[in-house]
Amino acid sequence: MSETVAIIDYGSGNLRSAEKAFARAAADAGLSLQVVVTSEADAVRIADRVVLPGVGAFGDCAKGLRALDGMEDALNDAVTHQAKPFFGICVGMQLMAAKGYEHGIHDGLGWLDGNVRALAPADRAMKIPHMGWNTLALADQGRRHPVASVLQADDHAYFVHSYQMELADEDALMGTTDYGGPVTAIVGRDTMIGTQFHPEKSQAVGLKLITAFLEWRP
């Protein structure tokens, strides 16, 4: 039976590259599924898997998501009540937190116990935003996670961000990268996973991770 993967369109940009990456990963793995880009709450409710991308400021993305009629309720129903696999990308991952502190204080979805704050590298000469390829390091939880565990110690991923998630719940930390100190790179809980980096821009490493998500049966 074919599955549906819903990529939520809430005006955050970068949708087509995400759509192409998920469709390619599915095709390469021989998976029978349909990738749809949608701004309709009902489409999210009936989807088998949900992807929330995100580019831009936390507050703008939160506002855009909540401007879609019924979308926040549909997300909560699909992910927290129906326990459907969920993948948050960049700001889509950050929105899993309780609050974001970018140009004010903004409510997130509250799925993870943590907040999103400005990057503050120990070396003040390091440029913000953090942009480019960085090595990933898995935490113990990540090495045990069905999706994150496909990553290897020397894998690199592509980052573009000025803010990071600071987790109060260390069990939700799946992986980090180093940018003047440890930076949250992968988070997860229950049927949710999120990456600060862009898997759709991370070439073979990103496709490997997307494939693991599409094959995940939590």
Side-chain angles (χ1 to χ4, degrees), residues 18 21-22 25-26 87 199-200 205-215:
F22 277 78
F87 198 142
E200 77 280 8
V205 168
L207 289 173
K208 176 171 61 175
L209 190 68
I210 291 170
T211 301
F213 169 75
L214 295 176
E215 294 177 337

Side-chain angles (χ1 to χ4, degrees), residues 10 26 167 171 177 180 182:
Y10 59 107
L167 286 164
D171 288 341
T177 192

Side-chain angles (χ1 to χ4, degrees), residues 5 22 24 27 32 35 48 55 64 68 72 80 88 115-116 127 153 156 168 175 182 184 204:
V5 180
F22 277 78
R24 178 181 171 183
S32 177
V35 179
D48 299 288
V55 175
L68 299 179
E72 186 173 10
T80 65
N115 297 308
V116 176
K127 293 182 179 179
H156 286 63
T184 300

Side-chain angles (χ1 to χ4, degrees), residues 119-124 126 128 130 134-135 137 159 161 164 175-185:
L119 282 171
D123 181 355
R124 297 195 176 188
M126 299 186 79
I128 301 295
H130 168 209
N134 264 48
T135 305
F159 291 81
H161 65 117
Q164 71 149 328
T176 61
T177 192
D178 182 29
Y179 196 70
V183 173
T184 300

Side-chain angles (χ1 to χ4, degrees), residues 59-162:
D60 291 341
C61 288
K63 182 179 179 181
L65 185 66
R66 292 185 170 113
L68 299 179
D69 187 31
M71 183 59 78
E72 186 173 10
D73 287 341
L75 260 176
N76 278 311
D77 179 53
V79 179
T80 65
H81 297 144
Q82 297 187 58
K84 294 179 179 181
F86 170 89
F87 198 142
I89 299 173
C90 197
V91 182
M93 179 206 85
Q94 294 179 359
L95 289 171
M96 298 164 70
K99 291 186 182 297
Y101 291 81
E102 185 174 2
H103 309 307
I105 303 174
H106 312 278
D107 289 334
L109 293 166
W111 294 346
L112 296 179
D113 186 4
N115 297 308
V116 176
R117 299 183 185 274
L119 282 171
D123 181 355
R124 297 195 176 188
M126 299 186 79
K127 293 182 179 179
I128 301 295
H130 168 209
M131 182 181 299
W133 293 86
N134 264 48
T135 305
L136 301 171
L138 291 181
D140 288 342
Q141 295 89 335
R143 285 188 283 270
R144 296 192 297 267
H145 193 277
V147 178
S149 62
V150 303
L151 298 172
Q152 298 175 351
D154 60 347
D155 280 344
H156 286 63
Y158 189 80
F159 291 81
V160 184
H161 65 117
S162 301

Side-chain angles (χ1 to χ4, degrees), residues 8 20-21 23 28-29 31 56 76 87 104 111 145 173-174 184 195:
I8 299 176
K20 288 179 180 179
D28 288 352
L31 301 175
N76 278 311
F87 198 142
W111 294 346
H145 193 277
L173 180 63
M174 300 288 156
T184 300
T195 61

